[in-house]
Every structure is written in C-alpha cells, then in structure tokens.
Amino acid sequence: MPGKDRTTSTDERGAINMSKLQRETGGSGAGVEHIEEMARRLRYHIIRMVGKAGSGHPGGSLSSSDIVAALYFGGVLRVDPRNPLWSERDRFVLSKGHAAPVLYAALAEMGFFPVDVLLTLRKMGSPLQGHPDCRKVAGVEVSTGSLGQGLSIAVGMALAGKLDKKDYKVWALLGDGECQEGQVWEAAMAAAHYKLDNLRIIIDHNHLQIDGPVDRVMSVGSLGDKFRAFGWEVLSVDGHDIRELLEAYRRSSEGKPLAIVAETVKGKGVKFMEGVAAWHGKVPQGEELDRALAEVTIRETEERGQ
Amino acid sequence: MKAARDAYGEVLVELGKENVRIVVLDADLSSSTKTAVFGKAFPDRFFNMGIAEANMMGVAAGMARAGKIPFVSTFAVFATGRTYDQIRQSIAYTGFNVKIVATHGGLTVGADGASHQALEDIALMRVLPGMTVIVPSDAEETKLAVRAAAAHTGPVYIRLGREAVPQVFPAGSSFEIGKGNVLLPDVSREDVIAADPSSRRFDVSFIACGVMVKECLDAASLLEAQGLRCAVAGFASVKPFDADLCMALAKGSRLVVAAEEHSVIGGLGGAVCECLSGSHPSRVLRIGVEDRFGESGPARELLEAYGLTADSVARRVRAVLDTNQTTV
C-alpha cells in the first residue's frame, strides 16, 4: 500500500497527465488499456473514500466504474476541468446520485479538483457531500440523490441544446432500481416526443437494490424493451467491457434518444462485495477494508510515483 | 376586473419579446393558465410537457442549468404538492433559475372543489431555502411580480387566482421583492417604518396577500366607519418577508391581522407570527382557512362560507378588540 502523501502527489500528477493526454489526442481518447487502468484507479479511490468516510455506497459505485471511466477517459465526454461551466460542454447527470464516489473520483482524476480532497468525503465542511451538490463541486452538473429526477433534468438540458442549436450531448447514468420511479418514464416519454437524439443514457443494470434483487423487490422486466417501447434506440452491452462501452458511446441515434443498458455486477472489482446487495450502502471496515484495498490497489501508482 | 392569470399570459408575451432566454412549460393546462398565449406567440419556446408535472419541473431545472429562464405553469395544487420533491431537490437545492407560476390557487377555484383548491402551497414553498414566494393581489401587481421574477436570479414561486378581481394595487406603484406596500392610509412604506415607534397610530393593521387584500381594504372601510383607525398593507412578497414593515405596523397598532386565501397554518399568517414572536410579541388574528379542505361552490359563496369576506373579517376584528383577552 502506498502511503497517503505519496499517493496524493502521484494521483495529482496522474490527473495532470490525463488531461494533457486528452488535449494531445484531440479528445479522441486513450487506448482501452489506459481506460481500464483509470477504472481501477476509480475503484481504488472509491474504496479509500468510503472507507475513510465510514459510510457511503460502494456497491453501485463499483458497478459503474468502467462506465464512468470510459465516458470521462475515453475522450467521449467533452469537458474542460479548467472551465467547468464551458457553455459547449457535454453534460453528465449522475441520476443515481448515491454513486457519488465514482463521479468524485473521475472528476478528481480529470483535474476538476485535487485528488486529496477525495478523502474528505462526507465530512463536515467538505464539498463532497454524501450525494452530489452542484453548488459545491466543479464538474458536478446537477445535484442528485432523490432517485428518478436526473433524466428529467437531462431532458431539459437536451431541449435547451436543441433550441440553441448547440452540438453538445447530454448523458445520464441511471440505476436499474431507480427505473422503478415513475418520473423516469415521464422523462422517457418526453425525450422521445421531442426527438432528443442529443440525449443518451446508460443504465447500470447491476440487478441489485437495497432490499435485494431488483426483480424480487419490484421487477423492472426488460429495461431495453421498455425504453424501445417508449420510442428510444436501445443498445445492450457488457458494462465492464471498455471496448463495448466505447463502441456504444460512439453510436448515433438519428431522431431518437439512446439508452445503453449496461449489464454489470454490483460491487465489481472487490470479490467479496460482488453480487451482494448488502454492500449497496455499507462500507468495508477494518480487516475487510484492507482486503478490499488489496484487490483494487494500483501497482502503476507506485511505479509512477518513483 | 381582470384575472391575474390573464395578466400573466400578457406579460409573458412581453417578456418573450424582450428576452430570448425565456421559455415556458405547461402540463396540459395552457388554456387555463394562459401560457397558451405565449405558446402562440413563440411556439419554439413553448413546451407542453403533458400531464406529467414531476418531469416538467425536472426539465425546467435542466433548461435553467443550460441558461434558459423557464416559466413553469399549472394549477397550484399540482405545481407544489404533486411536485414537491422535484422542486426541493432539482430546483431549490440546486438554486436553479426556475420560475414556477401557478394559477388556480385557493378556494376561489370554485366548483372544481377541494381536489383543485390549493390551501397549502404557500406553506410548502415558503419552507424551501432560497425560494422566493409571491402572491399578487390583482392583475396589475401580477404583471410587476412576473417581471420582477424574470429579473431575479434564483427560484421563484408566484401564486395566482382563477377569478377576475378588481384592481387594488395603486397604479404607478412599484413592486419590489421583499417589500410590502402600504395601501391604507395614504402614506409610504418608508413613512410607516420611520414613524415614532411609541405612537399607536392604528387600532388594527391588516397584512394581506392575494384576494384578501381587497377584502381587508373593504373590512377597513367598515371598521373606520365605526371609528377605528386602520392600516392595510399588501404583502405579496411573502418570502422574503418584509419584517421591517411588519414590525412597524405591529408597534403602531393594537391588533395585527394576517389574511390569506390559504390555510392559517404556515402561510402569510405564519410568517407574521414568526416575525413578531421573536422581537415584538403582538396580538395577531390569523384569517384564512382553518385547517380543513375546501369544497365545491361559487367562488364568492366559498369565501363567505369560510369567513374570508370583508364582513366576516370586520366582525372578527371587532370581537377581538372589544374583549380584553390577551390571546386571540
């Protein structure tokens, strides 16, 4: 395990390198291996953050780490850490706001704020609230946490983009359990009605929610069929396969909003947390934290730090 | 006589011409809320979101984040109660620049009955941090309030009624968020605030919003005919609340009356009591709907049945002043 100070400084250097790389590649993004490495870093941050905080939602943050890494580090999302409110930016709405740790980790690695801020998660005075607060953190597009609302906000941004004839895209990440909220379907209807092909969502389909398997708590059936029936273009991908994710992200959907149903494993990356609903809102502590950290430790961090 | 909602439709069109950032959203009630007038003038900037109010609030939030100034309209019951969490999370907590203009507030919705008569909306919106709450008294004040809302950065809730109402807001007066207007006697707000605090100039001071401003002016006439000295102030800006004017009126009066077409819990009456209890404990008579739902009936008859007409207000004031009770 790298020491705290060393990790912090290398991470900061890593973040700078990353944005430099993005500039150099003209936004076309890095290779798959690099994105996989970034996903590992996100997982490492997630476990350290929630471990330090003593609370949080690791399960759904880990399941969406590859999704978020491909989006931010694959040259897909057009954002500028030096100008967070750039009017031409792509918008990313974390509708499943409890996965805040994965968003914070990605923003820090992108250079929106220093990586060492991550360890203040959920502490008094920290900008990193338990659920994202757009008034406190640069790069957080909207405050979320009450499920089911993010897609509506994304629809509003996409409508505004159309109205202004801007070419930015609006992305939203939803949970599968979240799709039990009726507002999601109100928004889905509106997105298709207004032909928002500048809107694309990813559903982190990890099949688990707090009380157990989604299909046992309240079956959402086939999410792909449902969105298709609402007039959306739908793609299904392995949510842990960077290549598949990147390919889906680059697809266009003329005249229709696009839903990418990403099959994932809750707790992905930490063996004992994988597929276990209990890790939705519980954090590993003590010996379990050490075991979790050992699994997500980033060798490259140490190497780069030398 | 003119309905506030008609004035709303007109001023929206004026604002639409002045500012391209203004967009309007409605939930299938645009002919009633009068946003259809804007929709006809600016079809590209009008969005009918169907009967899906929760989504409409979120869409407005997203548009505001993208630089638009969205005006969102539907009936007050749906605009606040049905969408409370959406307003709380996506608009108030984010501080996004969304203007919620609800029509059909209060009992005077009439025959549609309790399901459509919002009597809790002012309380619901008032409790949200950062939310501005305005309840204009007539068409003239509505126009000024809507303009002030457009110029203000941050979320605003404006509550309008369904019925045509007489003009009570003095022509040529200014409207400012956070400030009340003294309508009776013919002195300025500043004069009332600057008056010698030890002089009891009024027997009763009315602090009112919405249709109750007119009823209080009429009640004051009845009471003045009986020799009582009255002040009436329009407090359309329920939040921010004009504590300076409220305090000055309370210090200069034997009795403060807070009147609104809303539950007596949590609305303007609540704001008046919250203001005075901390700094100048006073006798406050709260006129409103007593912790109950409304019912179907003609608007005027409903106001009478629920004790919100001038006659009833004057009688209650008289009864309080004629007794030596210290509590109301």
Side-chain angles (χ1 to χ4, degrees):
Chain A
M1 281 302 307
K4 186 193 164 192
D5 294 341
R6 248 176 80 210
T7 313
T8 300
S9 60
T10 37
D11 284 354
E12 273 166 1
R13 222 168 296 155
I16 291 159
N17 289 344
M18 188 58 221
S19 46
K20 185 158 169 270
L21 175 75
Q22 289 232 311
R23 282 199 299 280
E24 282 166 357
T25 55
S28 64
V32 170
E33 272 178 35
H34 180 78
I35 299 167
E36 286 170 347
E37 156 64 8
M38 292 313 293
R40 273 195 297 277
R41 293 175 78 85
L42 298 188
R43 291 191 165 95
Y44 169 72
H45 289 312
I46 290 164
I47 295 298
R48 285 191 76 208
M49 289 166 83
V50 300
K52 184 88 192 295
S55 70
H57 298 86
S61 298
L62 293 169
S63 65
S64 51
S65 291
D66 299 301
I67 293 167
V68 170
L71 206 51
Y72 274 92
F73 306 107
V76 178
L77 207 62
R78 187 172 73 192
V79 291
D80 181 358
R82 292 158 306 173
N83 187 8
L85 293 177
W86 179 34
S87 61
E88 309 303 311
R89 72 191 183 278
D90 286 341
R91 274 77 172 164
F92 174 66
V93 177
L94 183 71
S95 193
K96 47 173 290 184
H98 54 280
V102 71
L103 174 61
Y104 295 153
L107 292 175
E109 286 287 350
M110 285 293 288
F112 280 89
F113 54 84
V115 169
D116 56 6
V117 174
L118 291 176
L119 293 181
T120 66
L121 174 73
R122 290 176 167 251
K123 303 287 189 204
M124 284 296 294
S126 170
L128 305 186
Q129 298 291 294
H131 294 81
D133 180 347
C134 64
R135 294 167 106 172
K136 290 199 160 87
V137 186
V140 170
E141 196 60 56
V142 295
S143 305
T144 49
S146 178
L147 292 174
Q149 300 194 24
L151 184 51
S152 297
I153 299 172
V155 167
M157 292 170 169
L159 269 174
K162 289 271 182 193
L163 200 55
D164 291 338
K165 300 191 168 46
K166 288 188 183 285
D167 71 346
Y168 66 73
K169 288 192 168 55
V170 183
W171 296 80
L173 176 60
L174 282 74
D176 49 3
E178 180 179 15
C179 291
Q180 291 159 352
E181 289 282 4
Q183 190 183 344
V184 169
W185 303 101
E186 293 184 7
M189 200 178 337
H193 178 83
Y194 284 107
K195 303 183 170 49
L196 300 179
D197 50 15
N198 54 346
L199 170 69
R200 36 202 55 205
I201 69 170
I202 308 145
I203 300 166
D204 179 10
H205 201 1
N206 62 32
H207 300 273
L208 290 175
Q209 58 191 113
I210 301 180
D211 276 353
V214 171
D215 282 342
R216 211 177 299 154
V217 175
M218 177 52 65
S219 176
V220 293
S222 166
L223 287 168
D225 286 351
K226 283 190 167 68
F227 274 95
R228 215 170 276 119
F230 272 75
W232 288 54
E233 193 74 43
V234 175
L235 293 171
S236 294
V237 301
D238 176 344
H240 299 305
D241 185 317
I242 299 294
R243 277 183 190 82
E244 279 192 31
L245 284 166
L246 286 178
E247 200 194 317
Y249 290 173
R250 286 166 187 155
R251 289 271 281 273
S252 61
S253 55
E254 196 72 15
K256 288 179 174 184
L258 173 68
I260 300 166
V261 181
E263 283 293 330
T264 60
V265 174
K266 197 144 184 168
K268 178 73 175 181
V270 178
K271 279 282 172 288
F272 70 90
M273 295 171 82
E274 287 182 1
V276 181
W279 292 106
H280 172 93
K282 188 177 77 162
V283 302
Q285 295 280 269
E287 183 264 339
E288 274 182 330
L289 178 60
D290 293 340
R291 273 171 61 204
L293 280 171
E295 284 197 53
V296 293
T297 293
I298 354 166
R299 274 175 289 111
E300 290 82 350
T301 304
E302 294 174 60
E303 287 163 16
R304 264 197 251 163
Q306 281 159 6
Chain B
M1 297 279 280
K2 184 172 184 173
R5 56 189 173 131
D6 284 316
Y8 172 49
E10 291 166 15
V11 76
L12 268 185
V13 173
E14 291 170 18
L15 286 168
K17 286 178 192 156
E18 294 164 21
N19 191 340
V20 292
R21 290 167 63 208
I22 289 183
V23 293
V24 176
L25 296 86
D26 205 301
D28 196 39
L29 288 171
S30 62
S31 57
S32 297
T33 63
K34 305 301 175 186
T35 59
V37 185
F38 180 94
K40 203 171 168 203
F42 305 101
D44 293 348
R45 286 191 270 149
F46 175 75
F47 300 90
N48 201 323
M49 302 311 296
I51 309 166
E53 296 81 5
N55 178 58
M56 176 167 69
M57 290 301 172
V59 170
M63 289 178 135
R65 178 57 152 168
K68 302 296 172 195
I69 305 174
F71 277 76
V72 191
S73 291
T74 179
F75 291 178
V77 268
F78 312 129
T80 58
R82 189 176 186 93
T83 55
Y84 187 71
D85 189 46
Q86 284 73 25
I87 296 172
R88 180 181 186 273
Q89 302 281 339
S90 297
I91 296 174
Y93 183 45
T94 57
F96 288 162
N97 197 22
V98 176
K99 319 301 170 185
I100 302 162
V101 182
T103 64
H104 295 63
L107 284 174
T108 50
V109 164
D112 276 350
S115 62
H116 284 54
Q117 294 163 346
L119 298 175
E120 316 83 19
D121 55 319
I122 299 172
L124 285 172
M125 294 298 103
R126 194 168 77 82
V127 77
L128 290 172
M131 181 67 78
T132 292
V133 180
I134 308 173
V135 187
S137 57
D138 64 9
E140 180 64 22
E141 195 173 23
T142 296
K143 284 200 168 186
L144 297 173
V146 170
R147 283 193 164 276
H152 171 85
T153 302
V156 177
Y157 175 66
I158 297 181
R159 186 230 222 186
L160 308 176
R162 173 181 186 273
E163 297 288 283
V165 292
Q167 183 173 342
V168 293
F169 193 78
S173 289
S174 64
F175 173 87
E176 206 175 319
I177 290 172
K179 286 190 179 166
N181 273 287
V182 179
L183 305 174
L184 182 83
D186 190 15
V187 294
S188 71
R189 166 185 179 274
E190 286 65 34
D191 287 343
V192 171
I193 292 170
D196 176 4
S198 64
S199 70
R200 289 230 149 177
R201 302 192 296 149
F202 308 113
D203 292 295
V204 52
S205 281
F206 292 92
I207 290 175
C209 64
V211 299
M212 292 311 291
V213 173
K214 166 70 175 154
E215 299 303 326
C216 288
L217 282 167
D218 292 349
S221 294
L222 294 170
L223 293 167
E224 290 202 318
Q226 297 169 26
L228 293 174
R229 295 160 304 162
C230 300
V232 178
F235 268 56
S237 181
V238 175
K239 185 186 179 184
F241 183 76
D242 191 346
D244 292 341
L245 181 57
C246 176
M247 198 75 80
L249 289 168
K251 284 179 178 167
S253 313
R254 289 165 65 203
L255 175 68
V256 173
V257 177
E260 62 200 311
E261 190 195 3
H262 181 269
S263 169
V264 290
I265 301 170
L268 179 62
V272 168
C273 292
E274 287 158 19
C275 168
L276 296 177
S277 63
S279 320
H280 186 74
S282 312
R283 300 178 75 181
V284 179
L285 171 62
R286 285 174 299 141
I287 304 276
V289 176
E290 303 287 338
D291 199 17
R292 58 193 278 215
F293 289 104
E295 63 188 287
S296 290
R300 195 70 209 165
E301 288 176 36
L302 283 165
L303 287 182
E304 281 166 12
Y306 286 74
L308 300 184
T309 53
D311 281 350
S312 169
V313 171
R315 261 198 314 276
R316 286 186 65 188
V317 169
R318 189 84 234 192
V320 172
L321 289 177
D322 287 349
T323 62
N324 286 324
Q325 293 168 231
T326 51
T327 54
V328 178

